[in-house]
Amino acid sequence: TQTLQTLEARDVHISFGGIRALSGVNMKLRRGVVFGLIGPNGAGKTTMVNVLSGFQRPTSGTVNLDGADASGIGPQKMARAGIGRSFQAARLFRDMTVEQNLMVAAFGAGLPAARAARAAHEILEWMGLAAAAGKRCDTLSYGDERRVSIARALALDPAFVLLDEPASGMNDAECDALMHTIAHLPARFGCGVLLIEHNMKVIMGVCDRVHVLDGGRSLAEGTPVEVQNDPTVRRAYLGEK
Ligand code: ATP
């Protein structure tokens, strides 16, 4: 288990050529907290996950692990420091088994073999995927594929797990079950969670805190109730006058 307590973005700016994907964003994730990240298409949500997981270096500003600057150390070192993530597309190794996918993630993050195997087993069991452990990923149903991509992010025994629209394409029942799982991640694995999700009702049900991005800028942050009642958010995001 990792000792990291906070993962933070400080005044992060990201430009892709002329496009400003993020303009001065601050956010702090804490262990034990489910943190929702919402905003319209192109708001910068995926870019934020890329920054926090070391896949994208900020143009300016920093990413901090327990306060220490970790900007630009890259995805592998971030994984070793305890940051796990999933992707919008599952990106599994399709010709490998479910269990092998988890093991690859765990080894990549530097877990010793025995611990990696134990972690993989526990996670698959807990997510109701134990029966799929030996199946090749290209034989999985769509819903199972999505769930395995989350299990893989958990396999490195992370302090923080960043989930980019994990429920996309799932039906209502699958989404409900997944959100129940996500809400219980802090209690079960002691980690902090960042959740990108479009459905406001879903976000309100599982998140302790919510941060709203719009056009690369922070619009609001607070408890789900605070954010839902924020007039700026209601105008910009919920389309109210
Ligand atoms: P969505 O809900 O559609 O996934 P998002 O909130 O995740 O959107 P991002 O994917 O972070 O938004 O994109 C933010 C902005 O940055 C968009 O204008 C996007 O076109 C741009 N962008 C993202 N990645 C790149 C890149 N690699 N090169 C150029 N522009 C990019």
Side-chain angles (χ1 to χ4, degrees), residues 164-220:
D164 194 350
E165 294 188 42
S168 79
M170 285 186 166
N171 64 36
D172 287 354
E174 287 171 331
C175 176
D176 285 352
L178 182 66
M179 291 305 149
H180 183 81
T181 300
I182 289 171
H184 288 84
L185 283 175
R188 177 62 183 81
F189 295 106
C191 56
V193 180
L194 183 140
L195 173 65
I196 298 182
E197 164 61 46
H198 276 287
N199 186 327
M200 196 75 160
K201 213 176 120 219
V202 167
I203 282 278
M204 295 301 150
V206 295
C207 295
D208 303 301
R209 282 189 83 71
V210 181
H211 189 109
V212 188
L213 286 177
D214 186 19
R217 293 178 188 279
S218 296
L219 218 55

Side-chain angles (χ1 to χ4, degrees), residues 29-86:
L29 313 189
R30 291 169 201 280
R31 197 83 178 245
V33 170
V34 181
F35 188 97
L37 184 56
I38 66 174
N41 289 339
K45 304 180 296 296
T46 297
T47 303
M48 197 65 220
V49 165
N50 289 340
V51 169
L52 290 172
S53 56
F55 282 77
Q56 182 81 53
R57 191 190 190 112
T59 309
S60 69
T62 60
V63 174
N64 298 65
L65 300 174
D66 282 345
D69 189 354
S71 316
I73 67 172
Q76 191 176 11
K77 283 192 179 151
M78 286 304 263
R80 285 177 181 252
I83 315 300
R85 71 167 293 180
S86 72

Side-chain angles (χ1 to χ4, degrees), residues 2 10 40 47 66 91 113 117 124 126 149 172-174 179 205 216 223-224:
Q2 311 272 351
R10 293 188 187 163
T47 303
D66 282 345
R91 291 205 201 178
L124 291 174
W126 186 71
S149 73
D172 287 354
E174 287 171 331
M179 291 305 149
T223 65

